[in-house]
Amino acid sequence: MDFEIPAAQQERCARIYEETHALWGERRAVPGAEEVREDFRAAGKAGLTGLCLPAEAGGSGLGALETAQCLEAFGRGSADTGLAFAVAAHLLACAVPVRDFASEESRAALLPALASGEMIAANAMTEDEAGSDISALSVTARPVDGGYVLNGSKSWASNGPVADLVVTYAITDAKAGFLGVSAFAVPADTPGLIREPALAKTGLEGCHAGRIRFEECAVPASCLLGEEGQGAAVFQHSMAWERAALFGIYLGLMRRQLDQIVQHASRRRQFGRRIGEFQGVSHRIAAMRQRLESARLLLYRACWLLDAGQDHTAAVALSKIAVSEAAVANSLDAVHLSGAVGYLRGGAEEQLRDALPSTLFSGTTEIQRELIAKDLGL
């Protein structure tokens, strides 16, 4: 067991932190659609949209662990956690399944643009009555000569309103249950694919998310990811990468938050003393660090198992719970320790709003505990 991060990776993460801090370290306004596109291009130049994509496609060819460490640096450097989430979702929930399941022709056509940030991808899985339960999907893909016709609606697609490519899942055989789901990578300008405006939501405002509808949307067979009926496997594969590596952005948020709180506690004075000298304050900050360090170890282990090709399901679930719950708890502490300032828009309260959805997306905390219980044989 070696906890030392190689020098080259340390340098890469330091560069990412510096670049993202220079670009988005002071951002407060919610970016518009055109600004999001400029942000993705900038993220592409920093190498963030292609971290784990092949070098021949313009990516860095990193594994899950190194990808998570880079996203941690991104989350620490950028005040716009929503943008970091948008980039990570684009990369892990969309580009990864294209990388691993698309045809050779589709990979050649899509991966360079995905890696550079010129093309923005959206993950359209969730429906009004189906989230983690992939067997309950209502969107259908009717086989026709040369392809499929998609019909139905997805309720929550990260990057949906600004997407150029939509990775989605649909029923191709209603009688086959789990094995009747197929995955598709559909160009957003395909007739019959309708992107609805961005949803108003609490937190992660830098990530535009919205409904996507398919109305007799005809797609060629080349849009299929993997084989027909392999959609559940594609989804689980992409979720393993997302649940493991994406949450690096929250490690970065917690590190940035901890730095800010330590600085505040060292500077703010009450009753003639720095507030960090009061045990009630210092112990609370110590607990924030303990949650961060513990969550980081679980996340790194989950990514290491994923890279090693070992059984990672329970480890990823444990990591996802630890990071998301630590992010919420630390953000609540940060609001409290900041006093009235923590209640103002744009500070600790914004970090809390960005942390809250982490217990919901990529499978709720309850779903993760179900996976852990199943691993225990319960």
Side-chain angles (χ1 to χ4, degrees):
M1 187 179 295
D2 183 1
F3 291 99
E4 184 69 26
I5 298 174
Q9 177 65 358
Q10 290 186 45
E11 292 171 6
R12 180 186 289 115
C13 291
R15 175 187 58 77
I16 288 172
Y17 167 74
E18 291 170 1
E19 291 185 15
T20 56
H21 185 71
L23 286 165
W24 304 293
E26 302 300 326
R27 171 174 283 181
R28 288 294 177 263
V30 179
E34 285 306 312
E35 192 174 1
V36 168
R37 192 159 293 279
E38 293 173 4
D39 287 339
F40 262 79
R41 292 192 184 104
K45 290 179 180 177
L48 291 162
T49 49
L51 291 170
C52 56
L53 299 185
E56 58 269 24
S60 298
L62 303 181
L65 178 55
E66 290 180 319
T67 296
Q69 290 166 343
C70 291
L71 291 175
E72 181 178 349
F74 188 4
R76 184 186 175 198
S78 173
D80 190 345
T81 305
L83 172 63
F85 174 82
V87 169
H90 156 96
L91 175 64
L92 302 169
C94 304
V96 163
V98 170
R99 179 196 72 185
D100 294 337
F101 293 97
S103 66
E104 186 176 343
E105 293 78 10
S106 292
R107 287 198 300 270
L110 297 174
L111 286 180
L114 291 171
S116 69
E118 287 297 321
M119 177 181 284
I120 300 175
N123 176 35
M125 166 59 186
T126 304
E127 299 179 3
D128 290 339
E129 301 298 330
S132 298
D133 185 4
I134 194 170
S135 63
L137 296 181
S138 64
V139 171
T140 60
R142 185 176 74 251
V144 296
D145 288 343
Y148 301 84
V149 176
L150 277 64
N151 279 286
S153 180
K154 297 293 184 178
S155 60
W156 186 278
S158 297
N159 297 327
V162 295
D164 304 296
L165 183 75
V166 176
V167 172
T168 193
Y169 301 84
I171 299 293
T172 46
D173 185 351
K175 298 178 181 178
F178 193 77
L179 298 176
V181 179
S182 299
F184 301 87
V186 185
D189 60 0
T190 303
L193 190 157
I194 298 138
R195 298 170 297 169
E196 296 193 359
L199 297 164
K201 58 188 189 302
T202 297
L204 299 180
E205 293 174 293
C207 175
H208 291 219
R211 299 180 69 91
I212 288 182
R213 290 184 288 120
F214 300 97
E215 296 180 355
E216 288 294 300
C217 178
V219 301
S222 59
C223 288
L224 195 65
L225 294 175
E227 302 293 332
E228 183 176 312
Q230 202 178 0
V234 174
F235 176 68
Q236 294 300 339
H237 179 74
S238 69
M239 281 300 97
W241 274 82
E242 181 171 283
R243 289 169 182 167
L246 179 144
F247 284 80
I249 67 174
Y250 282 101
L251 296 179
L253 180 151
M254 286 189 280
R255 173 64 187 278
R256 171 165 47 91
Q257 186 179 69
L258 183 61
D259 291 343
Q260 292 168 346
I261 288 298
V262 168
Q263 184 181 51
H264 173 72
S266 300
R267 187 176 55 222
R268 171 76 167 163
R269 300 183 71 86
Q270 290 286 282
F271 304 104
R273 299 166 62 187
R274 296 180 303 154
I275 64 171
E277 296 176 23
F278 293 102
Q279 189 179 77
V281 172
S282 63
H283 282 197
R284 202 161 189 163
I285 297 173
M288 291 174 67
R289 179 175 177 180
Q290 176 256 316
R291 294 189 201 105
L292 167 58
E293 299 280 357
S294 301
R296 180 185 286 117
L297 288 173
L298 281 172
L299 185 143
Y300 282 13
R301 184 186 68 155
C303 290
W304 180 86
L305 287 169
L306 182 58
D307 284 336
Q310 298 187 35
D311 183 11
H312 54 263
T313 302
V316 168
L318 287 163
S319 164
K320 202 268 188 186
I321 292 173
V323 177
S324 59
E325 292 192 343
V328 173
N330 280 17
S331 295
L332 285 168
D333 278 345
V335 170
H336 186 86
L337 291 166
S338 299
V341 174
Y343 192 59
L344 297 176
R345 291 298 294 264
E349 68 81 30
E350 181 179 11
Q351 295 166 348
L352 175 59
R353 287 187 289 109
D354 287 340
L356 288 172
S358 68
T359 63
L360 302 175
F361 62 72
S362 301
T364 63
T365 295
E366 290 72 25
I367 286 294
Q368 306 312 312
R369 291 198 168 109
E370 283 292 316
L371 294 172
I372 296 165
K374 184 177 180 180
D375 186 69
L376 290 168
L378 300 174

